[in-house]
Amino acid sequence: MKRILLILLFVFYSCAPAFAGDNIYFNFDYAVFKGEDGKSILEVYYSVNQKSLKHVKNGNNFEGNVLIDISITDGSNNNILFSNIYKTPSVLTDTANSNQKLIGQINYLLPKGNYKLKITGSDFNDTTKQDSFEGDLIIDNIEAPGIRISDIELSTMVRKATDDKSIFYKNTLDVIPNPSGLYGMNLNELYYYFEIYGLSAGNISDDFYLSYIITDLNNREIMSHTKKMKRAGDSKADYGKIKIDSLSRGSYVLKVSLTDSLKNVDINNEKKFYVFNNQENVVTQSGQNEFLKSEYITMTEKELDDEFEKMTYILSDKQISKYDDLTSVIDKRKFLYNTWAARDVNQNSQVLEYKVAYLKRINEATRLFQEYFKEGWKTDRGRIFVIYGKPDDIEKYPFNSDKKSYEIWKYDNVEGGGECVFIELQSTTGVYWLVHSTFRSEISNPDWQVQLDPK
């Protein structure tokens, strides 16, 4: 296992609004490309609003730093292969008016295998402010026969490189990643980059076709473009841009398809992205105008009720009663928009960043803690995860003849440090109940261990 502290190069861009406050929100993404000696290159991307960092005055400037902690674990034996910390500097001349975003990229060479990837971003000057991503990673055999399309990297810019030492350099290009997948505002062109492998004469004709299709989440085609390509080697890097200023707010999918009818080839890959505004020149406004430009204008009552249900962990009884009393769709739309907007510290931002971060935890809890017919975020573990975030440590104790299965979640920075205990009260069900917590608003039972008796 390697653990190192490095200074990482970075770039700024000012296409996204800045955010300041007690919380910090990172965007993480990754893509896998062909490397050397039978290995693949894992490119890890991150971004964070520079203004959300704590800066310390030094001379005429204000200085801060971001810490990125990456661990890669072998899924077959849980051995930690990499554990690295990267430090990225942030320098401002004015902490009040910075609208820049810090972007970084870190590369690893990995052989074929199954891995677990964990990324944590934090503020060096206030490590209680952090955000994380964790997921499974599958690296296929990059030398396998046949044609393959790499992951699609979403980008804010692809241009001819002037420095081959840039962290964003590949195939004579500078590819500036967009880890958030967010477009709109003043990002009205979606740049993309991907690679194609296995373009040998035996696999593909001299002429083949590449199609670029944008669909909504219901797989309805919104726009498409097809171009004819000529085979010029065993691999190819393809990149370009798509103008998306005609898209309404919402989630979309970019699909790339390679077809060759003579060789019976039809392969594809896809990447999800989001549009928050379709105007090229956005004038920051507030109140009614911002509501009218939000996604809530087109949301159905079913969508509104679903989102409200997911908000109940952070709403007061009075707010819940108020929503329940609403009878018109427009009033429900205004209620939800105003509730989220009130929680955002940066009132000039059109992106409801608190909402994005909260629903991100809802989605992750749904994925991690599904129990029978109960959605993961509605379970006890899911609720704690959504409210308090990911624990700093989880101690898992599987069932044995003397004790039921249980977990202890430990938090270092919530209420000065605390823990939550979950027990699988009915063995083999996979349903874990919160039986004890040291947090003020949760159940407290210092004698919780008596419930471990399997009899």
Side-chain angles (χ1 to χ4, degrees):
M1 179 182 73
K2 300 178 181 178
R3 189 164 188 86
I4 56 179
L5 178 64
L6 298 178
I7 301 295
L8 182 66
L9 297 176
F10 60 91
V11 298
F12 297 122
Y13 78 94
S14 58
C15 62
F19 175 84
D22 294 333
N23 296 313
I24 190 169
Y25 303 115
F26 280 80
N27 293 297
F28 301 110
D29 197 10
Y30 64 86
V32 178
F33 301 99
K34 184 176 182 179
E36 299 177 349
D37 301 325
K39 293 184 178 180
S40 294
I41 300 173
L42 168 66
E43 295 185 353
V44 177
Y45 317 119
Y46 72 88
S47 66
V48 63
N49 285 318
Q50 195 180 8
K51 194 175 180 180
S52 66
L53 301 171
K54 180 180 180 180
H55 290 78
V56 178
K57 188 171 179 57
N58 185 4
N60 295 326
N61 296 322
F62 297 87
E63 297 180 356
N65 288 279
V66 165
L67 292 181
I68 301 295
D69 190 337
I70 297 179
S71 67
I72 301 176
T73 304
D74 188 331
S76 64
N77 54 27
N78 288 326
N79 287 336
I80 298 177
L81 304 178
F82 296 94
S83 183
N84 306 138
I85 298 178
Y86 303 87
K87 185 179 180 182
T88 303
S90 171
V91 179
L92 296 174
T93 56
D94 183 356
T95 57
N97 297 311
S98 172
N99 289 315
Q100 294 177 321
K101 213 166 201 184
L102 204 61
I103 309 174
Q105 175 178 321
I106 304 153
N107 295 351
Y108 291 89
L109 271 176
L110 294 171
K112 174 187 176 183
N114 295 336
Y115 303 91
K116 293 184 182 298
L117 172 65
K118 180 180 180 181
I119 315 167
T120 300
S122 60
D123 185 342
F124 177 78
N125 290 324
D126 183 358
T127 56
T128 64
K129 296 166 64 175
Q130 61 178 240
D131 197 3
S132 64
F133 164 86
E134 188 170 358
D136 295 328
L137 173 66
I138 300 175
I139 302 291
D140 294 324
N141 181 8
I142 202 67
E143 303 292 350
I147 301 174
R148 298 172 304 285
I149 297 178
S150 74
D151 290 340
I152 301 171
E153 178 183 352
L154 297 181
S155 172
T156 59
M157 176 61 67
V158 180
R159 61 196 175 202
K160 289 295 181 182
T162 57
D163 180 9
D164 61 6
K165 299 297 189 296
S166 165
I167 60 172
F168 304 120
Y169 177 89
K170 50 178 172 273
N171 283 314
T172 74
L173 301 169
D174 262 339
V175 184
I176 313 301
N178 183 3
S180 67
L182 304 180
Y183 291 87
M185 308 297 285
N186 60 340
L187 269 181
N188 294 301
E189 292 177 326
L190 182 151
Y191 285 82
Y192 60 85
Y193 174 95
F194 61 92
E195 297 175 358
I196 309 171
Y197 316 118
L199 294 174
S200 64
N203 289 335
I204 199 78
S205 303
D206 289 340
D207 295 326
F208 59 94
Y209 293 89
L210 278 178
S211 297
Y212 311 85
I213 304 166
I214 290 180
T215 71
D216 62 18
L217 297 188
N218 293 316
N219 205 32
R220 290 190 293 260
E221 184 176 312
I222 308 298
M223 61 177 70
S224 64
H225 169 67
T226 299
K227 64 182 181 182
K228 187 176 182 179
M229 308 291 293
K230 287 192 172 294
R231 191 181 71 84
D234 287 347
S235 62
K236 175 179 176 55
D238 194 80
Y239 64 96
K241 63 181 179 181
I242 301 173
K243 201 166 184 63
I244 56 165
D245 56 351
S246 63
L247 297 182
S248 302
R249 290 174 182 247
S251 301
Y252 298 90
V253 178
L254 169 62
K255 298 183 178 181
V256 174
S257 177
L258 184 154
T259 56
D260 177 5
S261 59
L262 295 179
K263 294 285 188 177
N264 196 28
V265 174
D266 186 359
I267 60 173
N268 57 76
N269 209 343
E270 61 185 44
K271 186 76 171 182
K272 189 176 180 180
F273 68 96
Y274 313 87
V275 174
F276 276 90
N277 192 281
N278 61 356
Q279 301 180 34
E280 287 195 23
N281 299 304
V282 177
V283 178
T284 301
Q285 301 179 31
S286 59
Q288 182 69 6
N289 287 340
E290 291 302 319
F291 166 69
L292 293 174
K293 288 187 288 185
S294 75
E295 67 268 33
Y296 288 95
I297 288 298
T298 59
M299 288 179 67
T300 65
E301 187 166 21
K302 182 179 179 181
E303 292 171 331
L304 294 167
D305 290 344
D306 177 70
E307 185 168 303
F308 169 75
E309 182 183 16
K310 293 173 179 174
M311 295 171 67
T312 52
Y313 292 154
I314 57 173
L315 297 179
S316 65
D317 291 342
K318 184 177 180 180
Q319 287 174 310
I320 293 173
S321 296
K322 182 176 180 179
Y323 185 87
D324 289 340
D325 291 338
L326 298 177
T327 57
S328 72
V329 174
I330 188 64
D331 286 340
K332 289 185 175 182
R333 290 169 177 167
K334 289 180 179 179
F335 176 91
L336 294 188
Y337 175 83
N338 290 333
T339 301
W340 288 123
R343 287 179 173 266
D344 269 347
V345 176
N346 182 11
Q347 299 298 316
N348 292 324
S349 171
Q350 290 192 11
V351 178
L352 300 173
E353 297 202 40
Y354 183 91
K355 168 189 170 179
V356 171
Y358 180 84
L359 293 182
K360 173 183 171 183
R361 294 199 301 274
I362 288 282
N363 291 336
E364 192 167 358
T366 298
R367 178 177 63 86
L368 294 173
F369 306 116
Q370 182 77 26
E371 293 179 356
Y372 284 110
F373 298 105
K374 182 182 286 188
E375 293 179 87
W377 70 270
K378 295 181 179 179
T379 66
D380 277 9
R381 288 181 298 175
R383 183 180 66 81
I384 295 297
F385 184 93
V386 170
I387 295 174
Y388 301 103
K390 186 176 181 179
D392 296 290
D393 183 54
I394 298 179
E395 296 178 359
K396 294 187 177 182
Y397 300 90
F399 175 84
N400 59 48
S401 58
D402 298 325
K403 293 181 179 179
K404 296 177 180 178
S405 301
Y406 67 104
E407 297 181 359
I408 301 177
W409 290 17
K410 297 184 177 181
Y411 291 83
D412 296 334
N413 301 305
V414 177
E415 296 183 10
E419 64 182 28
C420 295
V421 180
F422 305 89
I423 298 179
E424 186 186 34
L425 295 176
Q426 294 178 292
S427 298
T428 74
T429 62
V431 177
Y432 283 76
W433 297 89
L434 177 66
V435 296
H436 170 66
S437 175
T438 59
F439 297 148
R440 287 187 294 270
S441 58
E442 302 295 340
I443 183 175
S444 176
N445 180 13
D447 298 324
W448 61 268
Q449 294 191 32
V450 300
Q451 300 182 65
L452 294 176
D453 188 345
K455 298 179 182 179

